[in-house]
Structure formats: C-alpha cells, structure tokens
Amino acid sequence: MATFPSKVNYATGDILTATNMNDVGGAINLLDGAQFAAGKNKIINGDFTINQRAFTSSTISGTYGFDRWKQANTGGTVTYSAQTFTAGAAPVAGYEGTNFARIVTTGQSAAGDLGMLNQRIESVRTCAGQTVTISFWAKAASAGQKIAVEVSQIFGTTGSPSADVNTYFGQVTLTTSWARYSVTGAMPSISGKTITTSDQLALNLWVSAGTTFNSRTGSLGIQSGTFDFWGVQMEAAQTASNFQTATGTLQGELAACQRYYYVAASGNNLAVGTGANYSATNAYFTVALPVTMRINTAALVASTGTDYYAFDRNGAADTLNSLNLAYIGPNAAILYNNSEISGTAGQAGTFRTNNASASIALNAEL
Amino acid sequence: MTRKYIEEENGTIWYEENGFRVSFVKDEANSEYQEYLNPEAAKAIGADEAKTK
C-alpha cells in the first residue's frame, strides 16, 4: 500500500483515483488498528485480572483489593469485593474477562459520607492539559443508579505542594446489564504548580456522595446499591477507543502492578531466597525484586505467626515467626530476623515459607 | 486503634496489625513513613481520598 497522502501538493481540480481512495481507506484502517497501543490506557489492571493479594472482600477504607485498585469510604458500610465472570458472560465479546469489582453501599446518610472505587496514577503530569476520556463497563442491581467520575490532580504528599485540583468529568446512569460508558473532559494544565514527592492522579469512581461532595460529583447524592465495574480505561482522546490493558499482555500487566506491590510468597513451602547468619542471633535473607519498584524504599508486609518461616542451614531448619526489613534497593530487599534465630555466624542456607498463612510482600503503593 | 511503632537500632521502623508486621525505612516517598510521621492523617484515610486541601 502506498503512503497517504498520495500527492505532496494538491491543486484545485485534482481528482482522486480509485487507487488514491484505496490508499485513504488503508490509512484509516491503520489508524483504527493504532487504537491498540501499549501505554494508551493510563489505568493499570483495568480488567481486574491481577490479584496478587488474593483479595476477596473488605469494608475498610483505603484497602487495596485487586492490584492498583482500592476503595475509600466514610459512613455506613461500603463493601468492596472480588467477583468472577461466568465463562462466556464477560461484557465484551472476544475479550473474556476473568474478574470484576463490586462495591456495595448501605446505611449512609450524612453530608460527609462517601463511597468510591479508586486508582492512584503515578505522576501528576499524566495527561495534563489534554482532553481525556474515561471509559468503563458497569451495571447496578437497580436501574437508574449513577456513578460520578472525577480525577484529582495531587501535586505531592510531602513538603508544600500546590493544592489538589479536582476535575468532575460527569455522571453515567446504569442499567442492570453490563454496558460501556464514557465521559470526556479537559484535564487542567499543571503550569505554575509546585510539585513535590509522590505526585499523582486519583481516578475516583464515586458510587455514593453526601452533599459535602456536590461540586465534585455533580450532586450525586447518597446511594445504597450494588455497583459492578470492569474494563476501566483512561486515555488522552476525544472519544473512547477499544479497551485494552495498560501493557496489553498478561505478564506486562503483572510487572506493571509489581512496580507498586510485589508478593514474593504467599503459602506454605514457597522458596523466597537465600540467607546467612550474620551472628548467632541475627540472620539476613535476600529477596530478589522482579521489577524495580516505584521507590527504592518499599515497605515490607509479612505475616506473623509461630514458625511461619524456615531457614534451612547446617542440616536443619531454623524456624522463625516474623521478619523485618533491613535494606532495600532497585533489585533486591534484605530481610532479617533477630528474635528467633539461633545459629552460627557464617552459616548459609535457603529461606522459605513454612505455613499456609505465611506471606511476604513489598509495598510501594502511592 | 493506635499503632505501636518500634524503631530498631538500624533505623528500621515497624508495627504489627491484623497479623502482619509492616517494616520500613525512613523515606518520605514511602506512605508508611508518612503515616508514621503523621498518624492523624492516616486515621482519616477516607477523607484523604476525598480531600480538598
């Protein structure tokens, strides 16, 4: 196929031939194909496939469930849960989604009550000054219930950043069947803003909002109901393009999630890494990081319990109950235990989990 | 519930909650360290999501 335009300089009276028109058609088809492009979707895990935390349900505000997705609430009871599609029942033909997110709200009434599904997007520079379209599939248990879409530009969490800029994108009204909705708006410029550490965007999908939040939600109001979400996409575009995940591949999406949260092991008898006795009562263990995390100071989140972990060295297992973070860098974390360890300085061995409830994760979420 | 933070000699800080020990180093980019510095803000995490600074 020839490139388009067919001529460098058109003149009055020029006529496009059939070949020219075929070139135009080919160029348009290429543009349509370009709707699939890595990085187009600024939302990570928009199809809720990645669930490193093995999340099932939570009512606690600020709790992460599916990777990158957390809920926020005040007042009443807001339950965020993981749901599974029946095979063949996913809302997009040809894209067999595995999971979807559900938010259920009850018992809210106060002006300051709220419920939302939320994702923090690294860097407030994302889509700044551009036209942005946010799209998602959703349904409700009761027809007529609404979702309000807002993006907050957060210029940092340390020092003295500029004040948050909250942009209301609009509301959508749901039915009881899966349908795709989109809202389009202008993301404000960040010109003149002061940006500090951990600047970010917050995509807020409001399902309930007291009058305190009228200006941010188009007066959404308090809603009691069941709201389901899948296929969330945020792109710099005038209209919603075909949905794809941020990376377009399963392994890419997992890696993108692991930039923020990495589960090194969860379960019994899982290899973690190697270790050595630094002294008789202190041992260090190395955990390799599969991707460089958002910050080189991720927090260690490790379950605690009797003999949850085992250090196999010198022909026997030395079991321990808890772990602390000693050092962390771009490629590895070094953990230690100085409460149960009993060995000989210099002894080396392998380190593993020793209980079904044992888990080791590193957290660099925004 | 107020978290009880322990600071180790090597500078690591940790607390235990819901069967997990969370440990971290001192870095303001780390949200756990921010909560350690400002525990009142951590309590209001719902409001944090909806904050209007």
Side-chain angles (χ1 to χ4, degrees):
Chain A
M1 187 185 71
T3 56
F4 181 77
S6 299
K7 295 176 67 174
V8 175
N9 294 305
Y10 288 92
T12 303
D14 278 356
I15 297 172
L16 293 178
T17 65
T19 302
N20 294 152
M21 291 307 294
N22 287 337
D23 289 345
V24 172
I28 291 172
N29 289 337
L30 278 177
L31 284 173
D32 187 50
Q35 289 193 355
F36 294 97
K40 174 190 74 175
N41 188 356
K42 304 306 177 189
I43 297 296
I44 297 171
N45 200 25
D47 67 351
F48 304 102
T49 294
I50 310 298
N51 187 7
Q52 289 188 90
R53 296 170 177 84
F55 160 74
T56 55
S57 178
S58 175
T59 59
I60 301 171
S61 185
T63 301
Y64 276 91
F66 291 113
D67 278 62
R68 306 295 297 124
W69 289 101
K70 62 179 175 177
Q71 69 133 317
N73 71 70
T74 300
T77 302
V78 178
T79 306
Y80 169 27
S81 65
Q83 304 291 322
T84 305
F85 285 115
T86 302
V92 181
Y95 192 124
E96 274 294 324
T98 305
N99 308 315
F100 61 95
R102 172 169 288 172
I103 302 282
V104 178
T105 58
T106 58
Q108 295 190 320
S109 59
D113 286 355
L114 67 94
M116 68 166 73
L117 185 64
N118 169 282
Q119 180 164 141
R120 299 298 183 100
I121 301 166
E122 189 174 352
S123 180
V124 75
R125 291 172 171 83
T126 306
C127 296
Q130 299 184 59
T131 298
V132 168
T133 295
I134 297 158
S135 55
F136 53 89
W137 278 260
K139 65 182 175 71
S142 301
Q145 295 200 300
K146 298 177 179 178
I147 295 170
V149 181
E150 178 200 44
V151 177
S152 296
Q153 291 170 302
I154 300 167
F155 294 90
T157 56
T158 61
S160 301
S162 294
D164 296 355
V165 175
N166 301 313
T167 303
Y168 167 61
F169 274 69
Q171 287 181 3
V172 300
T173 303
L174 309 182
T175 70
T176 56
S177 300
W178 285 109
R180 194 184 195 195
Y181 302 92
S182 70
V183 291
T184 299
M187 191 79 77
S189 165
I190 59 170
S191 177
K193 300 295 186 184
T194 300
I195 300 172
T196 66
T197 307
S198 297
D199 57 293
Q200 58 195 269
L201 296 182
L203 170 63
N204 299 324
L205 300 173
W206 296 75
V207 297
S208 185
T211 54
T212 300
F213 307 108
N214 277 353
S215 65
R216 297 178 58 183
T217 64
S219 301
L220 177 68
I222 296 293
Q223 297 188 110
S224 291
T226 299
F227 305 85
D228 294 338
F229 296 88
W230 182 83
V232 186
Q233 180 160 278
M234 186 176 106
E235 57 191 313
Q238 302 278 350
T239 58
S241 65
N242 295 343
F243 172 75
Q244 70 168 88
T245 55
T247 63
T249 65
L250 187 57
Q251 73 272 27
E253 207 69 3
L254 175 59
C257 293
Q258 288 174 331
R259 175 171 172 80
Y260 305 92
Y261 197 88
Y262 167 52
V263 176
S266 181
N268 193 21
N269 270 327
L270 299 175
V272 180
T274 57
N277 269 90
Y278 179 77
S279 67
T281 57
N282 195 352
Y284 286 88
F285 313 105
T286 301
V287 178
L289 303 180
V291 301
T292 298
M293 301 188 78
R294 179 182 68 87
I295 51 176
N296 290 334
T297 53
L300 171 68
V301 181
S303 59
T304 58
T306 303
D307 299 338
Y308 267 25
Y309 308 97
F311 178 36
D312 298 311
R313 86 283 177 264
N314 196 34
D318 192 4
T319 56
L320 46 141
N321 306 341
S322 61
L323 293 164
N324 275 9
L325 181 68
Y327 306 99
I328 187 165
N331 301 310
I334 298 175
L335 322 184
Y336 74 95
N337 177 281
N338 60 4
S339 47
E340 289 84 38
I341 282 290
S342 177
T344 301
Q347 285 181 341
T350 55
F351 183 57
R352 61 178 168 85
T353 57
N354 191 45
N355 188 289
S357 297
S359 72
I360 299 171
L362 290 149
N363 181 10
E365 296 281 9
L366 286 155
Chain B
M1 186 176 69
T2 303
R3 286 176 183 166
K4 181 183 177 185
Y5 287 98
I6 308 293
E7 185 165 352
E8 297 278 341
E9 287 182 4
N10 63 4
T12 300
I13 300 164
W14 60 268
Y15 66 90
E16 290 190 348
E17 195 169 88
N18 300 323
F20 288 84
R21 178 174 293 193
V22 179
S23 58
F24 50 94
V25 297
K26 296 174 182 175
D27 175 18
E28 287 193 345
N30 185 315
S31 57
E32 292 289 352
Y33 184 56
Q34 286 184 44
E35 290 181 21
Y36 168 74
L37 294 175
N38 188 5
E40 289 304 313
K43 286 180 187 173
I45 193 160
D48 174 62
E49 298 298 336
K51 65 188 176 182
T52 50
K53 279 197 291 189

